[in-house]
Amino acid sequence: MGCTPVVRVRGRGSGRVSIAGMACYKAGQRSRMIYGFRVHRGRKGERKAFTWQDYRDLILRARIQLGGPIVLVRDNLSTHLMPPMREFIAANQDWLTVFQLPSYAPDLNPQEGIWALVKRGIGNLAAANVDHLAKTVRTRLKKIQYRPHLIDGCLAQAGLVMND
């Protein structure tokens, strides 16, 4: 009779990987994904999550990379709704238009499809440590970035279409 393999892991958390991303669509051009990445190793005083400034910087980076005005459709993450973020949006209305998704609507958010692809790609991973997990996640994100048809599929999955 065979034995069920056992993988031993430490019980304590050794950190986490946080990702913020934007699925970007423009008629007549290939779809793109722009993301930010943070590894939290559990060190004292280390930030665990993205700040409103991190999200602001992601939007600014998208504007530079995409080369034009942005229509941003975002979810209701509390960091997205902070007063400094609202002030940033108000100060940049000439190139930034923001629409808010309903309170809980992951089915309307194409970026949720991207996260599902990332998770599916690492589903059976038994990471040795947080750095191994980070490297694997980053590799998966890069693979998705270079496959615009996957990003297009996330738009379609959300029931949205681009008009050329």
Side-chain angles (χ1 to χ4, degrees), residues 92-110:
N92 293 287
Q93 289 180 9
D94 56 322
W95 61 268
L96 180 61
T97 304
V98 178
F99 292 98
Q100 198 76 32
L101 287 170
S103 287
Y104 184 72
D107 51 323
L108 298 176
N109 188 346

Side-chain angles (χ1 to χ4, degrees), residues 24-118:
C24 304
Y25 305 94
K26 188 172 184 179
Q29 294 187 12
R30 72 175 182 87
S31 299
R32 299 175 65 178
M33 179 183 57
I34 298 171
Y35 67 89
F37 197 85
R38 177 179 305 284
V39 178
H40 173 66
R41 292 182 173 79
R43 296 180 182 135
K44 190 173 182 166
E46 183 181 35
R47 284 191 316 200
K48 295 179 184 177
F50 284 90
T51 65
W52 77 267
Q53 294 99 327
D54 294 323
Y55 289 109
R56 176 204 60 205
D57 294 347
L58 186 64
I59 293 167
L60 292 170
R61 197 171 49 185
R63 180 180 184 217
I64 292 167
Q65 288 183 27
L66 299 172
I70 293 178
V71 176
L72 177 67
V73 180
R74 65 178 185 182
D75 59 19
N76 288 292
L77 182 68
S78 61
T79 311
H80 295 169
L81 306 174
M82 294 181 77
M85 182 60 97
R86 285 197 308 262
E87 292 167 11
F88 167 74
I89 292 166
N92 293 287
Q93 289 180 9
D94 56 322
W95 61 268
L96 180 61
T97 304
V98 178
F99 292 98
Q100 198 76 32
L101 287 170
S103 287
Y104 184 72
D107 51 323
L108 298 176
N109 188 346
Q111 192 62 38
E112 293 296 333
I114 301 289
W115 301 147
L117 289 170
V118 171

Side-chain angles (χ1 to χ4, degrees), residues 4-12 126-129:
T4 302
V6 176
V7 178
R8 299 205 184 277
V9 295
R10 288 185 267 162
R12 67 176 185 85
N129 55 41

